[in-house]
Amino acid sequence: MLKKICALIIFLVITSCGSYNSIDTFYNAHKNDNQVTAVRVPQFMLSMISEISPEMKAMVGNTKDLRYMQFPSTTADRTQFLNQQMNGITGNSFIEVFRKNDNLKRNVVSVREKKNSVKEILIYNNDNQNGSFLYFNGDFDPVKVREMAKNEQFTKFGDNIINQFGASTPGINSQN
């Protein structure tokens, strides 16, 4: 009986330590933070986003889940905290396609593969002022993903999502 209780306690400790190791957990933990822009695109709206470019139409056509989040990262402690959280998410299960570190600044493109296709794409950027991630879940051609990462099309795509939703979505207007 004591062995079962010890095993249960060890299991609970291990699972509680891994709480930030998913994009769902990160998204839900930060979507209500101050000055955060969070976009989770439902299936019926993916067709609207696919109109951005032919490349995006090819990619979004296979997307099941698309999320974008932009958040303030104005202090070194906050930037380091966010960088550590993203490293925890991508740690063991993602393959880094691209990484650029400049002190605390980060540009990372990571993918999760299954056999001959890419199932998840996570793009994380942090410039010590603002951080963002762009997340795709679906079934993607690895050659196209590599090409898009090389040409920085994912960064442009994140900006286009904000423009697409910002123009047609009522929100908070800041007036001086």
Side-chain angles (χ1 to χ4, degrees):
M1 181 69 172
L2 185 59
K3 287 182 181 181
K4 289 182 181 180
I5 293 173
C6 287
L8 180 62
I9 290 172
I10 290 171
F11 174 75
L12 291 174
V13 168
I14 289 171
T15 56
S16 68
C17 291
S19 64
Y20 264 115
N21 289 344
S22 78
I23 204 69
D24 278 332
T25 305
F26 184 90
Y27 186 87
N28 289 328
H30 296 289
K31 70 182 180 184
N32 292 316
D33 290 354
N34 191 29
Q35 297 180 343
V36 166
T37 301
V39 178
R40 186 167 187 184
V41 182
Q43 286 288 315
F44 72 91
M45 294 183 88
L46 288 171
S47 63
M48 180 174 73
I49 291 173
S50 69
E51 300 301 319
I52 293 172
S53 70
E55 294 83 9
M56 288 299 116
K57 185 170 185 132
M59 173 161 278
V60 171
N62 297 321
T63 300
K64 297 175 188 161
D65 187 8
L66 175 59
R67 301 179 205 195
Y68 177 80
M69 183 179 277
Q70 187 176 38
F71 35 83
S73 183
T74 56
T75 66
D77 288 342
R78 180 72 175 166
T79 301
Q80 187 171 9
F81 173 72
L82 292 166
N83 288 348
Q84 287 173 345
Q85 286 187 327
M86 278 297 158
N87 285 340
I89 292 170
T90 61
N92 295 326
S93 58
F94 280 79
I95 298 167
E96 285 187 9
V97 177
F98 174 80
R99 175 181 277 271
K100 182 178 179 184
N101 296 338
D102 183 9
N103 292 320
L104 289 177
K105 295 179 183 180
R106 296 285 184 274
N107 297 95
V108 181
V109 177
S110 299
V111 299
R112 185 178 289 167
E113 297 177 313
K114 186 173 183 178
K115 296 189 180 184
N116 292 331
S117 69
V118 173
K119 295 298 183 182
E120 293 176 82
I121 305 166
L122 179 62
I123 299 93
Y124 172 67
N125 294 298
N126 196 321
D127 65 4
N128 281 338
Q129 294 299 309
N130 291 296
S132 68
F133 79 79
L134 178 60
Y135 172 78
F136 295 88
N137 184 328
D139 190 12
F140 312 104
D141 178 10
V143 175
K144 185 170 281 295
V145 170
R146 193 175 320 119
E147 180 182 309
M148 291 179 75
K150 181 180 173 183
N151 296 332
E152 297 184 7
Q153 288 176 297
F154 289 116
T155 304
K156 296 171 192 169
F157 185 65
D159 295 339
N160 284 333
I161 287 176
I162 292 300
N163 290 337
Q164 188 78 18
F165 281 93
S168 62
T169 306
I172 301 170
N173 295 323
S174 59
Q175 297 178 359
N176 296 335

